[in-house]
Amino acid sequence: MSTQLHATITEETVREISETLGEPEWLLETRLDALSVLDDLEYPSVIQTPGRRWTNLEDLDYEAMIDPRSQSEEKDQIGSEQIRVLSFKDAIDEVPDLLEAHFGSLVDPQENRLIALSTALFTTGTVVVIPAGVDAEDVTIRTTMNGRSLFNYTLVVAEENASATILERQESGESVDDERYYSGIVEVAAGENSTVQYGSLQEFDEQTYNYTVKRGEAGRYATVHWIEGNLGSRLTKTQVSTLLESDNAETRIVGAFFGHNDQHFDLDSRVWHRAEHTTADLVTRGVIDDRSRSVYEGTQEVSQEAWDTSSYQRENTLMLSDESEADASPKLLINNHDTEASHSATVGQINREDLFYMVSRGLPEETASNMLVEGFFVPVLEEIDVEELREDLEAGIAARLTD
C-alpha cells in the first residue's frame, strides 16, 4: 500500500532545515533523495499472525502529528574530556569527514518510509567519537521532547582499542493537547578490538508514538552491547540489531519493557553473523498489564561464511491481566553447520503455585504478586552493566507496579 504520508512536507521544508544546520551539499542531497522516494517506500515490516496484523503504522495520523518547522527539544550531552561529544550541528563543522563516512552507512536512508521521513526531517542529534585507546565511561545523552514531533539522529564511532559506556534517555517535556511523534536513528561503528555499551531508556508520555532504529557494526574482536529499556509511549516500534561482519566480533542485546493501560510495544531484535568465530546473546523480558499489548520478533541469521558461530536468544513475556495480549516470534536462519545456537520464547501468567505459596506464608496477594514481577526481571537486570540504567529501570518497574 502506498499513500501520501504528509502533504505539506516539501523540498523547501527540507532545504530550510539543512540550511539552518549549515549542512554540506552531500547531506542536503541525501535528505532530498529520501524525500523524493518517500511515498514509494513501504512502511517497516511488522509481525503478522494468522488473521491479525499486530502493529498498524499505516493508519497513524502523521499529517496531524508532524510539524517539521516546529520541532522543539532540550538536550544534555555529557562526556569526558578524552572524547568528543558533539551536537549534530557542531559535528558538521568539527568532524565533517567522519560524518560523511559514517552517516547512513548502517541504516540506509531509504530503507523504508519512516526512515526516509527521519532522514529528510531530522533537526537534532549527537555525534560521539572515542579516539583509539581511550576508555570512556559516563557518556550521557538526554533528549526531552517538547513539541508535537521530533526527529533525532545519533552516531557513535569508537576507534581501535577504545571503549565507551553510553546512556541515552528520551522523555517528554512540555505537555501537549494531542498525540505526538518521535523518530530516532542510531548508528554505532565499533572499530577493531573496541567495546561500546549503549544503553537506552525510553520514558515518553502515553500520547507519543515512537519509531526507533538502532544498528551497530562490530569490527574484529570488537563488541557492541545494546541495552533497551521501554516503559513509556502510546506505541513503540523499535528495531535493535548488530552486524557481525568481522572475525571474533560479539554482540549482546538486552531488553526490558513494562506496558500498562493501552500501551503497545513492537520489538525487533536482530543479529547477522557474517564472519568466523562470532558470538551473539539476545535476552528480553517484559511484562504487560491492563489492555496493553506486545509483540516480539528476534532473528539470528548465520551466513555460509560464519564458521564457529555461537548465537543464543531468549524472550519471556509475563501477562498480568486477562485483557493484555502478547506474541513472540524467535527465528534461527542457519546457513553454516559449524554453529552452536538456540532460541526460545514464552508467554504466560504469574505462576499460581508460587503466588499461593507466598500468600500462605502471610504476604498480601498484591505484595506477593509484585515481588514475583520484580523477580521476573532479575535475569535481565543482571545483564545490565550500566549501574545508573539498571537502577533507573528497577525504579521504573517499581513505580509501574504501584500505579
Side-chain angles (χ1 to χ4, degrees):
M1 184 174 70
S2 179
T3 56
Q4 191 171 34
L5 192 62
H6 200 300
T8 61
I9 297 174
T10 64
E11 180 177 325
E12 180 185 8
T13 307
V14 173
R15 288 185 179 278
E16 282 181 19
I17 292 171
S18 182
E19 183 177 355
T20 300
L21 291 171
E23 292 178 350
E25 189 66 20
W26 68 264
L27 186 49
L28 171 61
E29 292 301 321
T30 301
R31 288 180 182 271
L32 293 175
D33 289 345
L35 179 69
S36 68
V37 298
L38 192 63
D39 292 326
D40 297 325
L41 297 173
E42 299 293 331
Y43 283 91
S45 61
V46 298
I47 290 181
Q48 298 188 60
T49 52
R52 181 166 185 178
R53 184 179 178 85
W54 279 78
T55 305
N56 191 350
L57 299 171
E58 288 86 339
D59 287 346
L60 298 187
D61 190 356
Y62 298 96
E63 185 83 35
M65 291 189 290
I66 296 173
D67 182 355
R69 288 189 171 88
S70 65
Q71 298 183 57
S72 176
E73 52 128 18
E74 296 172 25
K75 192 181 290 292
D76 293 323
Q77 298 156 313
I78 303 170
S80 69
E81 294 180 354
Q82 296 174 294
I83 65 172
R84 308 186 80 168
V85 183
L86 305 168
S87 69
F88 191 84
K89 184 175 175 55
D90 289 341
I92 290 170
D93 296 328
E94 298 185 26
V95 288
D97 295 340
L98 179 143
L99 195 58
E100 185 172 5
H102 289 281
F103 184 91
S105 62
L106 299 177
V107 180
D108 182 351
Q110 300 179 24
E111 183 170 308
N112 63 49
R113 187 179 293 199
L114 297 186
I115 290 176
L117 183 70
S118 289
T119 302
L121 298 183
F122 79 92
T123 59
T124 184
T126 306
V127 176
V128 181
V129 184
I130 306 102
V134 170
D135 295 329
E137 297 182 355
D138 302 326
V139 180
T140 302
I141 306 166
R142 181 187 293 273
T143 302
T144 304
M145 177 181 177
N146 290 325
R148 290 201 64 188
S149 61
L150 185 65
F151 296 85
N152 192 20
Y153 174 78
T154 303
L155 171 65
V156 178
V157 179
E159 298 179 349
E160 292 183 6
N161 304 310
S163 68
T165 300
I166 299 165
L167 174 57
E168 182 162 19
R169 300 162 179 269
Q170 300 94 20
E171 59 190 12
S172 301
E174 299 170 2
S175 62
V176 297
D177 294 331
D178 297 304
E179 297 170 337
R180 49 187 172 187
Y181 181 79
Y182 174 88
S183 178
I185 295 175
V186 178
E187 296 183 292
V188 173
E192 182 172 334
N193 200 40
S194 66
T195 299
V196 175
Q197 295 187 70
Y198 183 97
S200 174
L201 181 57
Q202 176 271 113
E203 296 178 292
F204 289 121
D205 65 28
E206 292 174 32
Q207 295 173 290
T208 303
Y209 291 83
N210 169 38
Y211 175 68
T212 303
V213 176
K214 298 168 183 166
R215 191 165 297 154
E217 180 173 357
R220 189 165 177 261
Y221 289 103
T223 299
V224 175
H225 180 188
W226 301 99
I227 305 162
E228 177 82 351
N230 282 294
L231 298 177
S233 81
R234 167 67 184 81
L235 180 152
T236 283
K237 165 66 179 175
T238 178
Q239 184 193 82
V240 183
S241 57
T242 308
L243 299 164
L244 301 176
E245 300 269 11
S246 301
D247 293 350
N248 300 93
E250 296 185 16
T251 189
R252 274 197 293 163
I253 302 174
V254 178
F257 64 92
F258 196 153
H260 72 158
N261 295 334
D262 200 29
Q263 287 184 285
H264 182 114
F265 295 117
D266 184 320
L267 311 169
D268 186 346
S269 299
R270 299 188 181 202
V271 59
W272 292 273
H273 295 268
R274 294 177 177 170
E276 299 182 5
H277 316 298
T278 58
T279 301
D281 192 11
L282 285 58
V283 184
T284 297
R285 286 203 168 196
V287 172
I288 51 175
D289 198 1
D290 304 324
R291 301 172 309 283
S292 60
R293 295 167 298 284
S294 71
V295 58
Y296 168 87
E297 183 172 33
T299 305
Q300 304 145 269
E301 182 177 327
V302 182
S303 73
Q304 291 183 347
E305 298 76 23
W307 297 91
D308 187 28
T309 290
S310 298
S311 191
Y312 310 99
Q313 178 181 186
R314 293 151 285 160
E315 198 279 338
N316 307 98
T317 304
L318 188 63
M319 298 187 297
L320 300 184
S321 72
D322 293 336
E323 292 76 28
S324 59
E325 296 180 287
D327 196 13
S329 177
K331 297 176 182 175
L332 266 173
L333 306 173
I334 299 178
N335 296 296
N336 186 304
H337 62 81
D338 188 17
T339 297
E340 182 177 293
S342 65
H343 69 302
S344 65
T346 64
V347 175
Q349 298 179 324
I350 286 180
N351 186 300
R352 303 305 299 179
E353 291 185 2
D354 291 343
L355 187 62
F356 175 78
Y357 174 82
M358 297 174 71
V359 171
S360 68
R361 295 302 187 271
L363 287 173
E365 182 168 335
E366 183 176 350
T367 301
S369 176
N370 290 350
M371 290 175 67
L372 288 171
V373 170
E374 290 174 329
F376 175 78
F377 278 109
V378 167
V380 165
L381 294 172
E382 288 179 342
E383 296 280 344
I384 300 175
D385 297 331
V386 184
E387 183 177 354
E388 181 180 351
L389 177 56
R390 184 174 61 251
E391 291 176 350
D392 287 349
L393 260 176
E394 287 176 323
I397 291 165
R400 182 59 51 88
L401 287 168
T402 59
D403 280 350

